[in-house]
Amino acid sequence: MRHASPHHRGAAIDRTSTPDRRFRATRARLFPKGGFFVILLPVQSQALRPYEFVFVAPAGTKSVSVAGTFNGWNKDAHPMTADADGKTYRRRLDIPVGKVQYKFVLDGERWIVDPNGKTIDDGNGNQNTELVILPDGYSQPSSPNDDSLTGSGLLHETNGDWINYDRGRLTFKLRSRENDLRAATLRISALPSGKEAIVPLQRVSRSELFDTWQGSIPWDGKSPTHLVYSFKVESGKADWSYHGTISPPMSQGGFEVKPHELPFLRTPAWIDDAIIYQIFPDRFANGSRENDPKDVQAWDTKPTYSNRFGGDIEGIKRHIPYLKGLGISALYLNPVFKSPSNHRYEADDFRLIDPQLGTNKEFGQLTQSLRKAGIRPVMDWSLNHSSPEFHAFRDVREKGAASPYASWYNVYSYPVRVQDNPNYEAWYGFPSMPKFRVMNPPTQKYLLDLVGFWRKEAPGLGGIRLDVANEVEPAFWRLFRKEVKGQDANLWIVGEHWGDSRPWLQGDQWDGAMNYPFREAVVQWIAQGTTKPSQFLDRLFEVYGWYSPQANRAMLNLIGSHDTPRFRTLAEGDAKLAMLGATILLTWIGSPSIYYGDEVGMEGEKDPDNRRGMRWDLVGESNPVYRHYQKLIAARRSSKALRGGDPVRLGADDSGNTVAYGRVFGKDAAIVAINRSAEARTVKLDLPVSLARKAYVDVLSGARLRAGDSISISLPPYGSAVLTSGSNASPLSSLRPRPKSSAPRI
Ligand SMILES: [Ca+2]
Ligand SMILES: [Ca+2]
């Protein structure tokens, strides 16, 4: 798509006379008084453009706000104001150019799409309104061969969105209009030494609107450094200097940054190598009949929203050998706090293990035993809300406004009524989930103190998954991160958010997020067959491009969870397609999370059916799905490239229905090829230097392959290959000189 959606409204604001305010002042500098030169410069860079949201509310609406990708879907961030007519609500905001999504929020809880906007499905069944804000100048064509530049597409800023530190290198990103530049170069010098480097940038991704260019210099991640830099951008025979403003080539001025002062995201090292297994505690294994609820159901009962199967901590403990044998290294447990529901997402008591699961002591023994077995336990905390039985809310129910806990919740009127349409703020309006005011000091203290409490109670704790984390104030997560990392920098913080999680992964909140956009891409191409290979690979790399490499590695990648239908069921029960999904899950960048039972090919519709009792009878080498998972896990454990390597795009063949990508970590390499067609295919790939001239083993078939500058991979119908480079790479690889780092250390 090249043009603004014809559906969006109110966009006719000032398209020409308002260059981004940050650049207005500097523009004048280019034309010094008395100067005689006149150079036609492109329109200046644009990060934001003003846009007015307009919504005509139904009668009886008390408030309307707009929430979207530009404010982290925060319904409180941007309330709209009613016109004199009392029903037309407006809000003018500066919106990032490019694609954004939003919804209107009525009375703080009803999320609706813009009836006058373009509705899109986010792939998870959620409908959002999509808005495309084009920078100036996009109506003209662009080419890397013409002598012109769409300056409004250029962007770089001196913050963590554009500069990153990871694995010994400082990386700089530059955005340009898609297909506009022939080349881009970073010119950088260090103060006070004046030492300089010229770094040619690589184009690392391309979307409909923008290209992303990137280059890096070595840095140790901590030494104080003062850097001054600018970008040389070239199109056709022309070139320009960009340093916030676009100037004639070789003009003075530059961005300045002290990288040691930037709050780069620092994630636990262990998560880079993790393979996660997710357990819904009531459904994994029943190790003790003594703690069973009175109405416990038979293990193979069809799940309902309320029935219970008696799964418990003892059951998990007894299956540690199974988990260890499977090769997983982290265990994500759905909530275990005392709770009235079988999913336990609303806690009666955040300091007490549900008696139907066991005791705090048993839980501590479990976490210790898991760690001994090389498995880091990850707890699931729902700090957004409590149950109505939580002591604070119970007190408010009993004492009303006089309760010392009244400030812990948003209560609209007293007495509190726990019933439909509750008179207090609740998650999704569910009376069973009264929402905390997490920034209320005593509430905040109670919730932050849980970190220290559970670190003691659950020795070996590896991480915390944050439920509905996009609905909690970012200010709270900033405090939460300080608390967690202050106690143990190795605790992994992973937030639940189903879309683009960039706002939370800037170094001050979470380490990673549930990677539902990844899942959506795999589901659509593999399970449902509704997208083409090229669309699939584009989307995978687009999502990858959202985040820093370390955030990508700390994502919880999944193809199914307690909140989605089982992958195999979405593939209409097809085991081969389920195995292709597993291949991608276990070979893409990010920490793969296996939803219990997927490894034996379990099925289940959307919840609660996706929470069936674990099928222990399906575990065994004769089960091809299980064998496939075993091989993939073993491959990931033995290949540095598969665990932490950067992804490399190799090819997508829409007519053959195949995809291939690589993973590269130093000299270690892997190639993954997927055939989603019913025919056998041979995929021929031209390889970049990082993957070429190596000896590979297909961990799925055992076949040995030797790659030259290209490779041919034979794939069975609905089959895949996972090639990992052996420790002794082909002697051919020594014939080609390795590319030298283009930047000297400064
Ligand atoms: Ca151009
Ligand atoms: Ca039990």
Side-chain angles (χ1 to χ4, degrees):
M1 193 189 334
R2 281 324 217 24
H3 302 285
S5 155
H7 305 289
H8 77 254
R9 54 188 303 172
I13 300 169
D14 219 354
R15 286 190 71 85
T16 50
S17 62
T18 318
D20 191 318
R21 61 190 183 288
R22 279 170 296 179
F23 302 128
R24 198 183 293 159
T26 46
R27 214 176 171 185
R29 240 186 15 222
L30 302 173
F31 302 95
K33 257 186 209 160
F36 61 90
F37 64 92
V38 175
I39 294 169
L40 278 182
L41 290 172
V43 175
Q44 295 295 319
S45 176
Q46 284 170 345
L48 305 166
R49 286 196 60 82
Y51 180 81
E52 186 175 46
F53 294 92
V54 180
F55 177 66
V56 180
T61 305
K62 291 187 201 76
S63 72
V64 181
S65 65
V66 58
T69 49
F70 43 85
N71 64 11
W73 295 100
N74 182 349
K75 66 183 168 63
D76 302 316
H78 295 117
M80 297 170 73
T81 311
D83 286 355
D85 68 1
K87 60 180 184 180
T88 308
Y89 285 79
R90 297 174 191 277
R91 179 79 196 229
R92 192 171 154 141
L93 293 173
D94 286 337
I95 300 292
V97 295
K99 275 188 195 175
V100 298
Q101 291 178 31
Y102 68 95
K103 270 183 164 171
F104 294 122
V105 188
L106 275 53
D107 298 330
E109 52 190 31
R110 261 189 71 209
W111 293 68
I112 61 163
V113 294
D114 186 342
N116 297 304
K118 181 188 169 197
T119 300
I120 57 152
D121 191 316
D122 73 356
N124 296 307
N126 297 314
Q127 310 283 311
N128 293 327
T129 307
E130 184 182 81
L131 173 66
V132 182
I133 307 258
L134 287 183
D136 288 334
Y138 268 56
S139 52
Q140 301 297 319
S142 66
S143 159
N145 303 317
D146 59 17
D147 296 342
S148 76
L149 165 73
T150 308
S152 56
L154 273 190
L155 193 63
H156 170 86
E157 294 177 67
T158 53
N159 60 42
D161 287 348
W162 302 91
I163 306 172
N164 186 46
Y165 170 72
D166 182 43
R167 288 179 171 166
R169 298 193 75 85
L170 196 61
T171 300
F172 296 79
K173 275 189 188 177
L174 174 71
R175 189 193 78 184
S176 70
R177 182 179 178 183
E178 179 259 351
N179 196 42
D180 192 18
L181 300 186
R182 184 169 55 75
T185 311
L186 170 68
R187 299 183 297 196
I188 190 162
S189 61
L191 295 178
S193 71
K195 220 172 163 189
E196 289 186 13
I198 303 286
V199 183
L201 303 188
Q202 306 294 317
R203 202 188 73 210
V204 291
S205 70
R206 164 162 286 178
S207 70
E208 285 171 50
L209 302 176
F210 302 114
D211 285 348
T212 302
W213 302 75
Q214 186 174 296
S216 68
I217 57 169
W219 183 52
D220 64 5
K222 51 180 190 285
S223 299
T225 313
H226 185 167
L227 302 174
V228 180
Y229 59 98
S230 63
F231 297 94
K232 179 184 176 191
V233 293
E234 300 169 64
S235 181
K237 292 187 289 293
D239 62 57
W240 298 264
S241 172
Y242 170 64
H243 46 84
T245 61
I246 299 160
S247 315
M250 303 312 289
S251 61
Q252 296 299 306
F255 291 107
E256 289 192 36
V257 71
K258 295 176 178 175
H260 55 283
E261 292 176 355
L262 288 181
F264 298 117
L265 174 66
R266 294 178 195 256
T267 57
W270 68 268
I271 196 65
D272 285 8
D273 295 324
I275 301 172
I276 305 165
Y277 191 82
Q278 181 190 347
I279 286 180
F280 192 82
D282 190 57
R283 307 293 155 78
F284 185 63
N286 188 350
S288 166
R289 290 283 166 198
E290 281 170 28
N291 55 23
D292 284 358
K294 285 195 193 71
D295 56 351
V296 69
Q297 306 287 301
W299 197 248
D300 58 356
T301 310
K302 193 171 169 52
T304 68
Y305 282 114
S306 58
N307 62 5
R308 290 167 197 258
F309 293 5
D312 51 29
I313 287 162
E314 180 62 25
I316 298 169
K317 207 171 154 198
R318 287 187 190 176
H319 287 90
I320 289 176
Y322 173 75
L323 299 172
K324 193 177 174 182
L326 195 58
I328 59 114
S329 59
L331 182 66
Y332 154 34
L333 278 171
N334 286 113
V336 292
F337 300 149
K338 185 175 185 306
S339 168
S341 67
N342 62 11
H343 53 67
R344 302 190 169 89
Y345 272 105
E346 68 287 69
D348 286 350
D349 188 339
F350 291 81
R351 291 178 170 233
L352 188 67
I353 295 296
D354 196 307
Q356 292 181 356
L357 293 175
T359 62
N360 283 28
K361 194 175 163 201
E362 278 180 84
F363 187 69
Q365 288 165 346
L366 172 70
T367 59
Q368 256 177 321
S369 307
L370 283 166
R371 267 307 275 276
K372 246 194 201 155
I375 298 167
R376 291 176 195 255
V378 175
M379 296 178 83
D380 190 342
W381 292 4
S382 196
L383 304 184
N384 177 67
H385 50 260
S386 70
S387 89
E389 293 302 318
F390 177 60
H391 72 85
F393 197 76
R394 221 174 41 224
D395 201 72
V396 180
R397 280 161 57 201
E398 284 163 14
K399 298 180 190 147
S403 164
Y405 297 102
S407 62
W408 286 44
Y409 300 90
N410 273 321
V411 180
Y412 307 137
S413 64
Y414 293 97
V416 167
R417 293 185 310 269
V418 183
Q419 59 187 41
D420 283 351
N421 299 314
N423 57 348
Y424 48 86
E425 191 179 4
W427 184 74
Y428 250 69
F430 288 141
S432 59
M433 297 182 175
K435 183 175 166 68
F436 280 130
R437 293 181 62 230
V438 293
M439 293 307 281
N440 178 47
T443 319
Q444 196 185 96
K445 181 173 187 323
Y446 175 86
L447 297 173
L448 295 180
D449 282 351
L450 294 172
V451 177
F453 179 84
W454 282 107
R455 280 194 66 240
K456 280 205 198 77
E457 210 74 354
L461 185 65
I464 303 164
R465 183 262 192 193
L466 307 170
D467 181 47
V468 295
N470 58 307
E471 299 185 32
V472 175
E473 284 93 319
F476 177 79
W477 295 134
R478 291 191 184 101
L479 296 170
F480 186 80
R481 184 179 188 86
K482 275 193 190 132
E483 182 71 28
V484 167
K485 300 294 179 178
Q487 295 197 30
D488 182 358
N490 273 321
L491 273 181
W492 176 51
I493 302 173
V494 57
E496 181 195 17
H497 177 241
W498 287 55
D500 175 352
S501 297
R502 263 175 286 195
W504 297 278
L505 299 176
Q506 302 301 315
D508 59 344
Q509 298 182 56
W510 317 336
D511 292 319
M514 307 272 292
N515 201 347
Y516 280 104
F518 163 82
R519 171 186 172 271
E520 162 201 331
V522 184
V523 164
Q524 288 177 342
W525 180 46
I526 298 290
Q528 299 172 327
T530 51
T531 52
K532 293 181 201 148
S534 57
Q535 291 172 307
F536 165 74
L537 210 51
D538 284 350
R539 181 64 174 168
L540 232 53
F541 276 92
E542 185 187 353
V543 174
Y544 169 68
W546 289 345
Y547 309 117
S548 60
Q550 66 270 35
N552 267 293
R553 298 194 300 267
M555 296 297 282
L556 185 150
N557 284 1
L558 68 162
I559 57 172
S561 75
H562 62 291
D563 279 332
T564 69
R566 294 260 183 193
F567 189 88
R568 183 170 177 173
T569 299
L570 290 170
E572 295 179 342
D574 190 299
K576 288 216 162 93
L577 291 178
M579 285 154 71
L580 291 186
T583 297
I584 299 167
L585 174 66
L586 270 303
T587 59
W588 189 246
I589 186 168
S591 296
S593 178
I594 301 161
Y595 184 48
Y596 80 96
D598 274 4
E599 79 277 21
V600 294
M602 276 176 66
E603 289 209 49
E605 305 283 348
K606 70 180 176 64
D607 72 273
D609 190 47
N610 55 0
R611 303 167 183 177
R612 297 179 193 173
M614 170 70 182
R615 288 285 302 276
W616 292 104
D617 58 309
L618 297 177
V619 175
E621 308 269 317
S622 61
N623 178 341
V625 179
Y626 183 68
R627 272 300 289 150
H628 188 67
Y629 268 90
Q630 279 185 317
K631 286 180 188 172
L632 289 169
I633 292 168
R636 192 167 178 114
R637 286 184 73 96
S638 66
S639 163
K640 264 165 70 176
L642 283 181
R643 292 198 306 276
D646 297 325
V648 179
R649 187 180 175 119
L650 292 178
D653 176 356
D654 287 350
S655 57
N657 214 356
T658 60
V659 155
Y661 51 85
R663 301 285 308 278
V664 175
F665 191 165
K667 292 178 186 174
D668 210 23
I671 298 172
V672 180
I674 317 274
N675 173 16
R676 203 217 171 272
S677 79
E679 314 293 327
R681 300 272 187 227
T682 299
V683 178
K684 187 163 189 291
L685 305 166
D686 292 325
L687 298 176
V689 176
S690 55
L691 292 164
R693 305 191 178 209
K694 288 180 187 295
Y696 289 97
V697 177
D698 180 354
V699 298
L700 298 178
S701 71
R704 291 177 179 278
L705 288 88
R706 191 166 289 253
D709 291 330
S710 66
I711 193 170
S712 285
I713 305 170
S714 299
L715 300 167
Y718 299 113
S720 55
V722 177
L723 313 183
T724 58
S725 63
S727 48
N728 29 349
S730 159
L732 281 175
S733 62
S734 57
L735 295 177
R736 171 178 289 206
R738 288 189 182 282
K740 292 220 167 59
S741 167
S742 50
R745 183 177 291 274
I746 62 173

